[in-house]
Amino acid sequence: MASHEFADEKGGKTTVISSTPSDFVPSETESAEFDTAPPPPPSGILARLRHYEALLDDKLGVEKNGPARILPEERNPPHQAIMALMWASGTMNLSCFATGFLGWEFGLDLKQSILTVIFGTLLGSMVTGWCATLGPGTGLRQVAIARYSFGWWPSKIIAALNVVEQLGWSSVGSITGGLALSAVSDGRVSLVLGVIIVAILGLIFSFIGLRAVLWYESWAWAIFFVIFMIMYGEAASFADVKTPSALEGQTLSGTVMTLLAIVYGSSSSWSSIVSDYYVHYPVNTSKTKVFLLTSMGITIPTCIGMVMGCCVGSTMGVNTEWTNAYDDGLGYLIQTILFPRGFAKFLLVVLVLSGIGINCIAIYSAALSIQLFARPLQVVPRAFWTLIIFVGILLLGVAGRNHLLAVLQNFLSLLGYWNTAFFVILFTEHYIFRKGSLENYNLEVWNTESKMPIGIAGLIAFLLGIVGCILGMVQTWYIGVIAAMIGETGGDIGNQLAFAFTLISYLPLRYWERGRFPGR
């Protein structure tokens, strides 16, 4: 036994006999117990936040991974079918249903509206589908991939636009879900409160992280599919297939191009975030499979919702009851279309969840884009940025709650413009300057400024693409100089001009840049 003497409070000495031998050495088991004792929370606000985020990850599965590259050995891939199913849950919703009304709003007949919707959706989905192929091979989020073509500093513009884009998508999802809630409650739940409820539900899944988002998106699509099939069965027979459009000549062509730009923008807008959800798939995942699953996973469900909107929209000029209900709000219209009334209310409640699908995807990617804007922002946990995005969604959703079609018309086409320029630069860099091989990307330096392109070519080409879209855009607040020449109301060719301006400028500028700054 070992004894130790300590001075007491009065200056005397107290002898304490320890029951532990002085030469005691803990066993391996006992040492492990001592070693695994939970460390105290670190000091400093950011370090403490990351500490608690790690605890949430251990206890609840809240994702603590930021925008860092996911290495091949760290990946735990979900089922490949999720590449299609997640987009089905995010696009087969009330927002796409409402977008289908724009054909009637523009004066197109049902056939013209449906054909434009299908072609525009397919075109935009293929843009997103190609961008998706870069995800598994690199293990990088889409904004980080953009650094290899745009350069370090210009890619920050993409990150910022991405945040704005996802804020817009989430606000649209919250508005449409809020409209449904308001109708179900016969107005007792205000539209403002409905927007807030849908935004909160989307926040919960996005806060937890990618696993929760993918889990929700994997199953939600089936419910929405059944509901839309019921809507087709009860409402499609009322569609006006006989009344032709009063538009003709260049005015008709211009109107079709304007609707095409909006629908294309709806599907191509996912191109700037799509790889965020593919970083956990193996490096050798088939690019063809990724392209097809993503493209069809967006095209088919989007068309299901939009074509239904085209059918119902075509009745607005001949069905007074439906027109009056639509004036009260989208939810009231759906409640009028479906029967019996109690069943209609039940379906509306379920359709509220369709707004969550958009919000899950948008909020998660917006938070990642903020972290990729600057390295100091990566120190702040993703969960904190998720909350900041949530506040922005509430502000936009409440502000635009009474102007859904105007928001869709302007917002979706604006998305298409810059995403077209974004796609052209990534596509050209990959096939012309990287020879179509991911081996020509030094993935180890994804977060090193000095190893990225200078960005002169990417910045100038992107800005010139924006100039092209301004010349060819048709918005409620502005019609471009070239667009105004097409028919009486103008024709939106902003995407076509953005494509041409970006491609023609990026090629020579990037050749010059690589010659002037070798290895970058």
Side-chain angles (χ1 to χ4, degrees):
M1 307 290 280
S3 63
H4 304 278
E5 290 185 335
F6 298 94
D8 60 17
E9 292 179 354
K10 297 181 180 180
K13 293 191 176 181
T14 301
T15 301
V16 178
I17 300 176
S18 172
S19 59
T20 304
S22 59
D23 58 348
F24 170 73
V25 178
S27 67
E28 292 184 4
T29 303
E30 291 169 322
S31 297
E33 290 177 355
F34 288 124
D35 292 341
T36 56
S43 59
I45 296 177
L46 294 180
R48 190 177 290 268
L49 283 174
R50 291 195 302 275
H51 169 78
Y52 288 119
E53 187 178 44
L55 290 179
L56 287 173
D57 180 58
D58 294 335
K59 303 297 183 182
L60 302 176
V62 174
E63 182 185 357
K64 62 183 178 182
N65 292 330
R69 180 185 173 223
I70 307 299
L71 300 175
E73 62 271 17
E74 298 173 342
R75 302 182 188 184
N76 182 22
H79 196 282
Q80 290 186 352
I82 293 179
M83 293 183 201
L85 299 182
M86 69 167 292
W87 303 109
S89 297
T91 57
M92 191 162 29
N93 52 43
L94 289 176
S95 300
C96 285
F97 175 67
T99 304
F101 280 71
L102 290 174
W104 155 72
E105 185 88 1
F106 292 168
L108 298 175
D109 61 37
L110 182 59
K111 179 180 178 181
Q112 293 164 345
S113 298
I114 290 177
L115 290 175
T116 304
V117 160
I118 293 175
F119 181 72
T121 300
L122 179 61
L123 196 62
S125 299
M126 291 171 66
V127 168
T128 299
W130 181 84
C131 290
T133 63
L134 300 176
T138 63
L140 293 172
R141 316 292 180 164
Q142 200 75 59
V143 174
I145 295 172
R147 291 175 176 174
Y148 289 86
S149 49
F150 280 83
W152 182 267
W153 290 101
S155 67
K156 297 178 185 295
I157 298 175
I158 303 302
L161 288 172
N162 226 8
V163 174
V164 174
E165 174 178 293
Q166 304 319 315
L167 280 172
W169 266 125
S170 291
S171 65
V172 167
S174 298
I175 291 171
T176 51
L179 287 168
L181 275 178
S182 181
V184 168
S185 65
D186 295 323
R188 287 189 292 273
V189 173
S190 68
L191 182 51
V192 172
L193 180 57
V195 168
I196 294 173
I197 292 173
V198 176
I200 290 175
L201 292 174
L203 170 69
I204 293 172
F205 286 95
S206 300
F207 182 85
I208 296 176
L210 185 59
R211 281 173 288 185
V213 172
L214 293 181
W215 178 87
Y216 175 84
E217 305 288 1
S218 299
W219 300 102
W221 69 272
I223 300 172
F224 306 145
F225 177 77
V226 171
I227 292 176
F228 271 101
M229 291 303 102
I230 293 172
M231 292 175 67
Y232 272 103
E234 295 195 8
S237 61
F238 293 92
D240 182 9
V241 297
K242 297 181 179 179
T243 305
S245 172
L247 303 176
E248 57 184 7
Q250 286 192 0
T251 300
L252 173 61
S253 300
T255 302
V256 169
M257 286 190 287
T258 299
L259 179 60
L260 182 70
I262 296 170
V263 176
Y264 162 84
S266 172
S267 297
S268 66
S269 63
W270 304 114
S271 64
S272 58
I273 65 168
V274 61
S275 287
D276 296 359
Y277 304 91
Y278 290 33
V279 293
H280 289 286
Y281 287 102
V283 173
N284 61 352
T285 303
S286 169
K287 291 185 178 181
T288 302
K289 183 179 291 186
V290 171
F291 174 78
L292 291 176
L293 285 175
T294 304
S295 299
M296 293 300 102
I298 296 174
T299 299
I300 295 173
T302 299
C303 287
I304 288 175
M306 286 192 185
V307 170
M308 184 69 230
C310 292
C311 293
V312 175
S314 69
T315 70
M316 292 292 100
V318 295
N319 191 324
T320 305
E321 181 185 8
W322 287 13
T323 304
N324 293 335
Y326 180 70
D327 291 338
D328 293 331
L330 187 66
Y332 290 97
L333 172 62
I334 296 174
Q335 193 169 263
T336 303
I337 291 173
L338 300 177
F339 53 86
R341 185 173 178 83
F343 181 59
K345 284 182 172 291
F346 168 74
L347 293 184
L348 271 177
V349 171
V350 179
L351 277 175
V352 169
L353 301 176
S354 71
I356 300 174
I358 293 181
N359 287 6
C360 286
I361 296 172
I363 296 175
Y364 177 78
S365 287
L368 286 174
S369 293
I370 291 177
Q371 290 183 304
L372 284 165
F373 185 82
R375 276 180 295 206
L377 301 181
Q378 296 174 21
V379 180
V380 181
R382 180 189 56 81
F384 174 80
W385 297 121
T386 299
L387 294 174
I388 298 298
I389 293 296
F390 169 72
V391 174
I393 292 168
L394 290 183
L395 295 175
L396 287 175
V398 171
R401 66 190 184 279
N402 294 318
H403 309 283
L404 179 59
L405 282 184
V407 170
L408 288 170
Q409 179 180 344
N410 293 286
F411 170 65
L412 294 182
S413 53
L414 284 174
L415 294 186
Y417 301 146
W418 80 263
N419 276 282
T420 296
F422 173 82
F423 162 74
V424 170
I425 291 175
L426 259 66
F427 189 89
T428 306
E429 176 71 23
H430 182 72
Y431 286 107
I432 302 298
F433 300 104
R434 307 278 176 175
K435 309 303 181 184
S437 174
L438 291 176
E439 295 180 358
N440 294 321
Y441 293 76
N442 185 355
L443 299 176
E444 302 296 327
V445 300
W446 72 273
N447 206 27
T448 305
E449 177 186 350
S450 61
K451 300 295 183 179
M452 292 295 116
I454 295 297
I456 297 174
L459 177 61
I460 294 177
F462 184 76
L463 293 177
L464 288 175
I466 299 303
V467 170
C469 80
I470 292 173
L471 294 174
M473 68 167 53
V474 173
Q475 302 292 320
T476 56
W477 44 272
Y478 177 77
I479 297 178
V481 176
I482 299 178
M485 300 177 182
I486 307 174
E488 297 177 3
T489 57
D492 195 319
I493 55 172
N495 289 297
Q496 293 90 324
L497 293 180
F499 184 97
F501 281 33
T502 305
L503 180 62
I504 293 172
S505 58
Y506 186 73
L507 279 170
L509 286 170
R510 186 68 174 121
Y511 274 118
W512 170 83
E513 184 179 68
R514 285 167 63 91
R516 182 67 176 81
F517 305 97
R520 298 182 69 175

